[in-house]
């Protein structure tokens, strides 16, 4: 597993990290045993960067990570998020409420100080007002957190964050079906030494290539109840693309790929071919997926022709289908 430096944190993170939303049972139920297996498999595959949030399963994801890390000789790097808990979102933000929320996360994770605390898609007016960033600076000085970053939905929010002197990393929606950041964000992130963490690398699983129109999702799975954005931002589920359209686009792209190229590997490798990306936090609901995704770090870069094909396909066929803005 290759590693890259995560912006101003200086942390050497695995190119493939683990997204732990699934460990909160938000993609359908994951048993405790399977959750532990997913985490252990990740470490065995060289994954040393984990992404979670206080709200995943109402704290279950953090708790499971905390239990598991107790037994480890060396702790991996764990990033969590703050700002979507009911006590804060949408208008309960204060330094005290943010601090309390982070301290509760630290307790569940079993750490003294959080490696990386990310603002969790806080309302744009809260982000742009800037107070919350000043509180994060204070909380870093106080030792509650070691570094802070932001997870954002829109590229203008991402660009705003890049200008902040202490933001270490940005977590963004980015995949072959959402490519705008390559030109509109990455140069400014690189200039400001802000590490890029990629979420939804497989567009909630669409780009694994395994989904068909009759795919059934558990009623507790966000891909069932949020497929059109009924519960939270539509972009977070299937990348904002209507499910049926997404399946059709995946099939069309598969047909264009050179022989022997698989859409899942191509999707992950395409992201790693962007030098500004530090880590892909691929989500996994079973350990076999972790093994498969980790292997992308060892794949050779895609050819120039394939990069052109993917850029053209995105521009001509995909971009207009994304709902919720970019
Ligand atoms: N606002 C935010 O900050 C925010 C929002 C969303 C996500 N995130 C973070 O980003 C992480 C990644 O995003 P995501 O999980 O939503 O999207 P994703 O990584 O694009 O998709 C994950 C899903 O893809 C499928 N999958 C993964 N690997 C596979 C493989 N090798 N073969 C077949 N299917 C595979 C699984 O679906 P099945 O479960 O159907 O098998 C898995 O649940 C999350 O876990 C979370 O940590 C953050």
């Amino acid at each position: 597993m290759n590693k890259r430096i995560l912006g101003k944190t200086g942390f050497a993170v695995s190119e493939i990290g683990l997204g732990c939303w699934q460990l909160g049972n938000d993609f359908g139920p994951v048993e405790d045993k399977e959750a532990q297996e997913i985490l252990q498999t990740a470490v065995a595959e060289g994954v040393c960067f984990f992404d979670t949030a206080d709200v995943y399963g109402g704290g279950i994801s953090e708790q499971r990570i905390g239990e598991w890390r107790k037994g480890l000789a060396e702790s991996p790097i764990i990033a969590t998020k703050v700002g979507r808990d009911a006590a804060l979102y949408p208008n309960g933000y204060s330094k005290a409420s943010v601090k309390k929320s982070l301290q509760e996360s630290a307790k569940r994770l079993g750490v003294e100080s959080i490696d990386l605390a990310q603002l969790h898609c806080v309302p744009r007016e809260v982000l742009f007002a800037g107070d919350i960033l000043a509180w994060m600076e204070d909380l870093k000085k106080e030792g509650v957190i070691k570094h802070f970053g932001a997870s954002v939905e829109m590229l203008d929010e991402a660009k705003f964050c890049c200008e902040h002197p202490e933001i270490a990393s940005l977590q963004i929606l980015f995949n072959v079906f959402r490519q705008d950041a390559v030109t509109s964000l990455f140069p400014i992130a690189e200039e400001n030494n802000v590490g890029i963490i990629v979420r939804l690398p497989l567009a909630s699983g669409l780009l694994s290539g395994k989904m068909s129109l009759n795919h059934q999702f558990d009623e507790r799975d966000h891909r069932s109840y949020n497929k059109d954005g009924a519960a939270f931002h539509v972009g977070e589920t299937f990348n904002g693309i209507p499910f049926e359209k997404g399946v059709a686009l995946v099939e069309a792209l598969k047909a264009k790929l050179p022989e022997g190229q698989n859409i899942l590997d191509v999707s992950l490798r395409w992201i790693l071919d962007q030098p500004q990306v530090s880590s892909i936090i691929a989500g996994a609901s079973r350990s076999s997926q972790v093994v498969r995704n980790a292997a992308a770090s060892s794949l050779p870069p895609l050819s120039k022709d394939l990069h052109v094909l993917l850029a053209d396909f995105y521009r001509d066929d995909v971009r207009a289908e994304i709902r919720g803005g970019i």
Side-chain angles (χ1 to χ4, degrees):
M1 172 68 71
N2 299 313
K3 292 186 177 177
R4 299 184 185 184
I5 299 299
L6 180 62
K8 294 188 197 82
T9 68
F11 292 145
V13 292
S14 46
E15 286 185 336
I16 304 294
L18 183 71
C20 298
W21 191 7
Q22 283 73 1
L23 302 190
N25 302 323
D26 299 309
F27 283 67
V30 172
E31 298 298 321
D32 279 339
K33 188 167 168 286
E34 183 71 54
Q36 296 301 311
E37 242 174 73
I38 288 172
L39 291 164
Q40 257 143 24
T41 304
V43 167
E45 294 298 317
V47 171
C48 70
F49 183 55
F50 294 75
D51 174 80
T52 183
D54 56 350
V55 288
Y56 293 167
I60 293 171
S61 174
E62 286 186 334
Q63 242 157 27
R64 283 174 157 171
I65 294 170
E67 278 302 309
W68 161 76
R69 60 166 290 290
K70 272 188 210 158
L72 298 178
E74 195 187 337
S75 183
I77 299 155
I78 301 168
T80 192
K81 306 189 201 79
V82 62
R84 296 292 289 209
D85 179 77
L88 280 76
Y89 183 83
N91 51 19
Y93 300 99
S94 66
K95 183 176 164 190
S97 65
V98 170
K99 182 173 180 175
K100 183 166 179 276
S101 192
L102 285 167
Q103 284 172 327
E104 285 166 1
S105 284
K107 203 167 164 195
R108 282 189 291 272
L109 291 168
V111 296
E112 288 282 312
S113 176
I114 291 170
D115 293 331
L116 175 64
Q118 305 161 100
L119 296 178
H120 195 174
C121 300
V122 297
R124 48 196 289 120
E125 59 279 10
V126 172
L127 180 69
F128 291 147
D131 297 2
I132 198 163
L133 295 167
W135 304 332
M136 295 301 267
E137 284 183 62
D138 289 350
L139 295 173
K140 185 177 160 194
K141 282 189 200 119
E142 290 174 27
V144 178
I145 59 178
K146 292 182 187 150
H147 301 280
F148 67 95
S151 178
V152 294
E153 269 142 10
M154 298 294 115
L155 284 174
D156 65 336
E157 297 166 350
K159 284 189 253 183
F160 170 82
C161 289
C162 282
E163 303 289 351
H164 188 276
E166 293 224 27
I167 285 195
S169 65
L170 264 176
Q171 188 184 127
I172 57 163
L173 293 160
F174 184 65
N175 54 54
V176 295
F177 281 1
R178 187 182 281 252
Q179 301 190 10
D180 288 51
V182 172
T183 49
S184 67
L185 176 67
F186 289 176
I188 166 176
E190 188 167 18
E191 200 181 309
N192 291 287
N193 192 21
V194 174
I196 299 290
I197 300 167
V198 168
R199 72 174 183 271
L200 266 78
L202 298 175
S204 311
L206 267 180
L207 289 164
S208 70
K210 71 178 177 189
M211 288 178 183
S212 59
L213 288 182
N214 54 12
H215 199 100
Q216 293 294 317
F217 297 99
D218 190 283
E219 62 181 15
R220 290 158 288 183
D221 188 330
H222 73 98
R223 293 170 298 182
S224 169
Y225 65 79
N226 195 55
K227 69 185 170 70
D228 298 312
F232 46 85
H233 194 273
V234 68
E236 305 292 2
T237 305
F238 300 127
N239 197 43
I241 298 173
F243 178 66
E244 295 72 17
K245 185 70 198 175
V247 171
L249 286 169
V250 166
E251 291 310 311
L253 178 56
K254 275 185 190 169
K256 284 178 183 270
L257 292 180
E259 213 178 317
Q261 294 276 13
N262 165 284
I263 193 162
L264 185 148
D265 295 333
V266 165
S267 297
L268 294 178
R269 190 62 239 180
W270 178 82
I271 299 171
L272 290 181
D273 285 355
Q274 320 296 329
Q276 297 86 355
V277 168
S278 300
S279 186
I280 298 177
I281 45 163
S285 58
R286 55 192 70 107
S287 48
S288 56
Q289 295 175 348
V290 178
V291 177
R292 176 67 192 275
N293 299 344
S297 178
S298 320
L299 294 173
L302 305 182
S303 69
K304 216 171 163 188
D305 286 352
L306 189 44
H307 272 280
V308 171
L309 183 155
L310 292 167
D312 290 350
F313 187 76
Y314 171 65
R315 186 194 57 231
D316 298 340
D317 296 275
V318 181
R319 194 173 187 277
E321 305 297 338
I322 298 173
R323 296 169 295 178
I326 292 176

